[in-house]
Amino acid sequence: MNYWLLLIPVISAFIGWFTNWIAIKMLFHPREPFKFLGLTIQGIFPKRQQQFAEKLGKLVSEELLSFKDISHKITDPSNLDQLLPYVEDHIDNFLKVKLKESMPVVGMFIGDKTVGQLKAVFVEELRELFPTLMERYMVSLQEQLDLEKIVVEKVRSFSSDKLEEILLQIMAKEFRFVEILGGVVGLLIGMVQVAITYFAA
């Protein structure tokens, strides 16, 4: 048996690993396009960063962080219930302290019972006013704040280094697996080649 044939699986494994390593590197490199044999070569993410930013902006504004969902959450009556203790404390302080300081004559006629009644009226009015007020605020905010545009500009302004760093942090294990898989597949192919050569001889 020609023992040089044993190098075939090793070489095939190296080629399988190397080609996958190159493919992963070409996701991010080269940063800038250049011509080679009439072809324009550039990393996938640098080349598609604008499209990536636009797709991500649309996804965030329509699916992940839509104003409709935010408005629904903010106008939820349970949110007002959480704020009511602070509101009632403020109304108490206003009726018992600030009102008497600013209008002493009126304050003379407001006792604890009246304070309690006024507070109940104010709180009930606030329950009715709060959802409408927040809905109008969200409409105004949506007109002023374009989430899709903000996300697109932020992602588009990322440096290629920053984008590579983020993706590598998220997918480092997966990229390593792809590299190793390339080596394993190359090794298996090389072993098959050796077996075919050996038995054919």
Side-chain angles (χ1 to χ4, degrees):
M1 175 180 178
N2 188 350
Y3 290 99
W4 286 103
L5 290 176
L6 298 179
L7 285 177
I8 293 177
V10 176
I11 295 172
S12 296
F14 174 78
I15 292 173
W17 167 82
F18 184 71
T19 52
N20 282 14
W21 180 81
I22 286 291
I24 291 171
K25 287 298 180 183
M26 288 185 67
L27 292 174
F28 311 101
H29 303 275
R31 308 284 194 210
E32 300 298 330
F34 73 92
K35 295 284 187 179
F36 180 72
L37 299 177
L39 299 175
T40 301
I41 299 176
Q42 186 181 12
I44 293 174
F45 281 109
K47 184 177 181 180
R48 301 295 183 185
Q49 188 166 350
Q50 173 66 27
Q51 292 92 324
F52 177 66
E54 291 172 358
K55 292 291 184 181
L56 185 59
K58 187 173 291 292
L59 176 66
V60 170
S61 64
E62 294 181 358
E63 302 293 338
L64 302 182
L65 198 63
S66 69
F67 273 99
K68 183 178 180 181
D69 294 335
I70 297 173
S71 177
H72 179 73
K73 185 66 177 177
I74 289 179
T75 56
D76 191 330
S78 64
N79 290 324
L80 179 59
D81 292 337
Q82 295 176 16
L83 296 174
L84 276 181
Y86 304 101
V87 173
E88 291 181 2
D89 288 343
H90 188 80
I91 294 174
D92 267 336
N93 183 64
F94 171 76
L95 293 174
K96 293 178 179 178
V97 179
K98 292 185 177 180
L99 184 61
K100 290 181 179 181
E101 289 176 353
S102 59
M103 304 176 67
V105 177
V106 176
M108 292 173 56
F109 297 98
I110 298 180
D112 290 340
K113 182 178 180 180
T114 305
V115 168
Q117 291 173 336
L118 287 173
K119 184 168 68 173
V121 171
F122 288 156
V123 169
E124 188 60 33
E125 189 66 21
L126 184 60
R127 284 185 181 277
E128 295 181 9
L129 177 63
F130 180 77
T132 303
L133 185 66
M134 294 311 298
E135 283 180 5
R136 291 186 178 180
Y137 171 72
M138 288 304 300
V139 170
S140 174
L141 185 62
Q142 185 173 6
E143 292 174 353
Q144 300 174 39
L145 193 63
D146 189 339
L147 282 179
E148 181 176 345
K149 182 179 179 181
I150 291 173
V151 173
V152 169
E153 290 178 350
K154 289 289 185 182
V155 175
R156 188 171 52 197
S157 66
F158 276 177
S159 67
S160 296
D161 290 336
K162 183 65 175 177
L163 187 59
E164 181 178 0
E165 179 186 341
I166 292 172
L167 292 174
L168 286 178
Q169 286 176 352
I170 296 172
M171 303 181 66
K173 291 182 179 179
E174 287 76 9
F175 287 155
R176 178 62 61 187
F177 174 76
V178 170
E179 292 176 18
I180 294 173
L181 182 62
V184 171
V185 171
L187 178 65
L188 293 174
I189 291 173
M191 293 173 66
V192 170
Q193 289 177 327
V194 169
I196 291 174
T197 303
Y198 177 75
F199 288 111

